[in-house]
Amino acid sequence: MRAFLPMLFLYGTGLCASMQVGLVGPIANMLRGQFDLTQAQFGLVASLITAAGAICATPAGVWAARLGLKQAVIVGAITIVLGAIVFSQANHVAFLYIGRFLTSFGYLLIVVAAPSWMTHLGDRRTVALAMGLWGTFVPVGIAMGTWISAGLSAWLGWRMAVLGCAIPALVCVIPLMMRANPPREGFNRSLAKGVSGVLRDKNAIAIALTFAIFAGTTSATVAFMPTMLMDRLDITLTIAATIIGITTIAGNIAGSLLGGILLGRNIQGRLLLLVGLPLMASSIAIIYMAPNLATVIVVLCAFNIGQGIVAGTCFALLPRIAGNNLSMPALQGMLAQFAEIFVVIIPPVSGLIIDDFAWTGAAIAFALFYLASMGVAGRRIAIMA
């Protein structure tokens, strides 16, 4: 129980970080209307949340550990709120970009520091449970951000929706201020050794690239999905966000638990990736071309189960890859950096595809992206992973 509450609050900071990804989908039409944004410009607004990670996530993992994981989490939460304030008060598109870029630094600090802190809060079984839970923070946080943003924007406008998705980060971080800073043993490698170690490991590179393509594509699918559902099926924003939120949370938790059970029975992680990624590819193609809402709901469940399997497997493989030779914070940082490079790239590219080829083009493109991720997993990840 002593470990449960701090782990819960750390997980909460991760959810708040990922909510910054999900909040933009429901307010897309409001932003485009007020700032006259193209789909590609909106894609850039959505993707800038991970710009800092795309630039420096790998060394940030080492820096955060050496400077103090507790301090990194606290500063990350504060920075998320500051970025949200800038974004919410924007009167020009440039301030939308600046606010998202600032928020991206807070997102990065939490993503690399919070899970590393978790590893100091209990025995191996407790830590394994916590890391399994952490594997769901991205999709569940995105779903919560989508849901909260939709509700607040319909009630109070998009500016309050942005603030409403950021303030909970401070609520989660306040109890953590009372905790002692985790020990620095195991995090005393130099910056150069910590970074170079993970960059030389073939399995680490393979997992990072597989997760990167998966994460960038998922970010794009979620950012455009509310608008797609409203355009194609003529439903309200509230209904679209509710469907996305419920299916994402339920499906990802189910997929993560299934993946964890199978990994615990010595099923190869690579095999799980080779099942989850094509499931997502086929599902997203159907979702973006589905003729009715019932089909969307059913296939969204399958899509999110696949998402839970893939995300949970990638995070679960990190300790196996790290072993005794690699810096775990640096490995987490590299995973984040690769992912965030693709999260910066894929949503704007997807926006261009939608502008030229509509939602059918998006369906084909998203499916191909997931299949590319599967190709990396199948060819590059070693058998023992």
Side-chain angles (χ1 to χ4, degrees):
M1 180 60 71
R2 293 178 60 187
F4 174 77
L5 287 178
M7 285 181 175
L8 185 63
F9 287 121
L10 285 168
Y11 179 67
T13 64
L15 291 181
C16 293
S18 289
M19 282 166 59
Q20 308 313 303
V21 181
L23 73 87
V24 295
I27 62 175
N29 287 338
M30 300 176 194
L31 293 179
R32 283 200 298 268
Q34 182 166 340
F35 296 96
D36 195 25
L37 302 178
T38 65
Q39 292 280 21
Q41 286 176 313
F42 168 72
L44 181 59
V45 171
S47 66
L48 276 175
I49 185 61
T50 54
I55 297 170
C56 61
T58 306
V62 181
W63 284 331
R66 290 171 63 84
L67 297 175
L69 298 176
K70 174 182 175 180
Q71 289 86 340
V73 171
I74 293 171
V75 172
I78 293 172
T79 307
I80 282 176
V81 174
L82 291 176
I85 291 173
V86 173
F87 187 91
S88 68
Q89 300 305 308
N91 55 13
H92 188 276
V93 65
F95 288 98
L96 296 180
Y97 296 148
I98 292 170
R100 291 292 275 179
F101 188 67
L102 179 59
T103 301
S104 74
F105 283 94
Y107 177 94
L108 171 61
L109 288 173
I110 287 175
V111 166
V112 299
S116 296
W117 190 351
M118 282 182 172
T119 63
H120 290 274
L121 293 176
D123 57 25
R124 288 184 60 185
R125 281 181 130 186
T126 304
V127 169
L129 178 62
M131 294 305 293
L133 179 65
W134 180 259
T136 67
F137 89 96
V138 172
V140 173
I142 290 175
M144 290 178 61
T146 300
W147 215 343
I148 293 172
S149 177
L152 288 179
S153 62
W155 181 31
L156 299 172
W158 70 266
R159 298 181 189 275
M160 288 304 298
V162 172
L163 291 175
C165 288
I167 297 300
L170 295 181
V171 176
C172 289
V173 86
I174 288 174
L176 295 173
M177 294 179 180
M178 313 298 180
R179 301 285 305 184
N181 211 3
R184 302 190 184 199
E185 288 80 9
F187 298 116
N188 55 3
R189 292 176 175 88
S190 69
L191 178 62
K193 287 183 178 180
V195 173
S196 64
V198 295
L199 291 177
R200 288 197 303 263
D201 189 273
K202 293 181 179 179
N203 257 343
I205 293 289
I207 287 292
L209 186 56
T210 298
F211 185 76
I213 302 173
F214 154 80
T217 307
T218 302
S219 176
T221 64
V222 172
F224 291 109
M225 196 175 294
T227 302
M228 181 276 294
L229 292 177
M230 290 187 291
D231 285 352
R232 294 194 66 255
L233 302 179
D234 193 28
I235 61 176
T236 65
L237 173 59
T238 301
I239 293 175
T242 300
I243 291 170
I244 293 170
I246 292 174
T247 57
T248 298
I249 293 172
N252 272 275
I253 291 175
S256 295
L257 290 174
L258 176 61
I261 292 170
L262 294 175
L263 284 171
R265 295 181 178 179
N266 295 321
I267 300 296
Q268 291 178 6
R270 186 176 73 165
L271 178 60
L272 293 179
L273 295 176
L274 294 182
V275 171
L277 287 165
L279 174 61
M280 295 184 71
S282 57
S283 296
I284 201 64
I286 295 172
I287 290 167
Y288 269 71
M289 295 189 290
N292 55 66
L293 189 58
T295 301
V296 168
I297 294 172
V298 172
V299 182
L300 258 177
C301 292
F303 174 80
N304 285 300
I305 289 172
Q307 191 181 82
I309 291 173
V310 173
T313 299
C314 287
F315 279 105
L317 288 177
L318 291 184
R320 299 187 189 184
I321 294 171
N324 296 320
N325 299 318
L326 300 180
S327 165
M328 190 64 181
L331 188 57
Q332 289 168 338
M334 186 177 75
L335 194 78
Q337 181 152 7
F338 275 50
E340 290 166 9
I341 289 172
F342 278 78
V343 169
V344 168
I345 294 171
I346 291 180
V349 171
S350 301
L352 291 172
I353 293 171
I354 293 168
D355 284 335
D356 291 338
F357 302 102
W359 300 116
T360 301
I364 297 170
F366 291 149
L368 291 175
F369 287 145
Y370 283 126
L371 292 178
S373 180
M374 181 191 71
V376 175
R379 293 178 61 86
R380 300 296 181 184
I381 299 175
I383 296 294
M384 68 282 299

